[in-house]
Amino acid sequence: MLVLGFETSCDETGVALVEAPLVGAPRLVADALHSQATMHEAYGGVVPELASRDHIRRVLPLARQVLAQAGRRVQDVDLVAYTRGPGLAGALMVGAGVAVALAAALDRPALGVHHLEGHLLSPFLACPPPAFPFVALLVSGGHTQLMRVDAVGRYDLLGESIDDAAGEAFDKSAKLLGLGYPGGPALARLAESGDPRAFALPRPLLHSGDLDFSFAGLKTAVRTQVGKLGTHLGEQPRADLAASTQAAIVDVLVAKSLRALKETGLVRLVVAGGVGANLRLRAALDAGAARLGARVHYPPLALCTDNGAMIALAAALRARHGLADATRAGAFDVRPRWPLGDLSRPVDT
Ligand code: KG4
Ligand code: ZN
């Protein structure tokens, strides 16, 4: 089965082709991505209308590029997948519109994929893929969640952020430090030349005894430190504050993930979402999990942030597991039943 996937939920236009044999691991055949980061940088964040217009400009050329790269014709596509939410309404409409129209023209099914399920299943594009069951740490720009995953479509929420997500903590702290957009990678870069012990920042909910997170207080603490330093916010204190912020976020994510492994008795941890690209987080998770005799699985580094491959892959896995109810083109309100609060809403904008 050849799946063409479209991701247009925010500021990246991603298109990919995934080949999913009836048995065996699905394979990424070709993918293309256009990031709008430089376009939004001047505004310090994503401007929704500009994002939608750019998706419109990019989506078809990227689709042609992917098909050419794979040496396949559009008629070879068996299933068209797209991100149905959560995300920016206008941006989502571009991917959904193109995917559903294409599916109708080809007389193939169209399948709307939950963006977070795309992230969650993206480590199945790595080698070796994880085996079920596992604990998943989902750390995207807007969500921080720990889940128990028993199979495709069987997700139990163990804990989540009660306010800001870890990605938001990175982005908002980066903004306070005068770094550009997107903030996470910029803060991580600056942190490399800083001392993570220079500032004693809070580790919110570290000892709360549950698997929930809270990062809003950390951002406030960073703001307080920036205010105290005032005009003395020179290069080294900035780097030290960046390193201390990153260390606080990493400490909490690692402690809660290890706690989830211990509580569930599982020995595999899957990490997905943009913050999963953070190398300090990866090193600390690897070391912590190894102490428990557990193993950590990540998507390939380039597939941590938004991309079309994860959408095509999630659609392929859902279809293969018979969960898809892959609909004929036009009916794109496919609702996976997840006991995950906002994850179960059809299109969450
Ligand atoms: O999953 P994603 O690409 O988009 C959403 O679905 O939200 O995640 C984006 C988030 C942003 O908050 C970004 O700053 C963060 O991932 N991020 C990072 C790194 N790369 C991306 N945070 C820390 N370190 C990184 N290397
Ligand atoms: Zn994402």
Side-chain angles (χ1 to χ4, degrees), residues 124-215:
F124 283 90
L125 285 170
C127 201
F132 296 110
F134 54 76
V135 169
L137 171 67
L138 202 63
V139 270
S140 69
H143 293 81
T144 299
Q145 297 182 319
L146 276 164
M147 287 179 222
R148 182 194 166 101
V149 178
D150 284 291
V152 175
R154 284 181 57 200
Y155 314 120
D156 286 308
L157 187 64
L158 302 172
E160 65 182 333
S161 182
I162 57 173
D163 43 51
D164 286 358
E168 273 173 292
F170 268 107
D171 292 339
K172 290 177 178 174
S173 303
K175 208 166 190 173
L176 289 166
L177 288 166
L179 296 168
Y181 164 87
L187 189 145
R189 262 194 310 279
L190 180 60
E192 286 313 299
S193 50
D195 175 4
R197 290 172 303 273
F199 293 88
L201 296 175
R203 269 70 173 154
L205 300 191
L206 189 63
H207 302 295
S208 60
D210 58 22
L211 295 170
D212 286 335
F213 301 88
S214 163
F215 289 104

Side-chain angles (χ1 to χ4, degrees), residues 9 115 119 140 305-306 310:
S9 66
H115 182 79
H119 277 302
S140 69
T305 43
D306 294 347
M310 68 185 196

Side-chain angles (χ1 to χ4, degrees), residues 281-342:
L281 174 64
R282 286 182 171 221
L285 283 173
D286 288 343
R291 283 195 299 277
L292 296 181
R295 174 174 178 169
V296 193
H297 293 263
Y298 306 92
L301 202 54
L303 300 183
C304 279
T305 43
D306 294 347
N307 61 83
M310 68 185 196
I311 300 305
L313 173 88
L317 292 178
R318 290 196 74 88
R320 196 161 78 177
H321 285 75
L323 297 166
D325 178 25
T327 49
R328 285 283 132 191
F332 57 92
D333 187 15
V334 179
R335 303 168 195 234
R337 269 168 301 158
W338 297 355
L340 293 182
D342 66 330

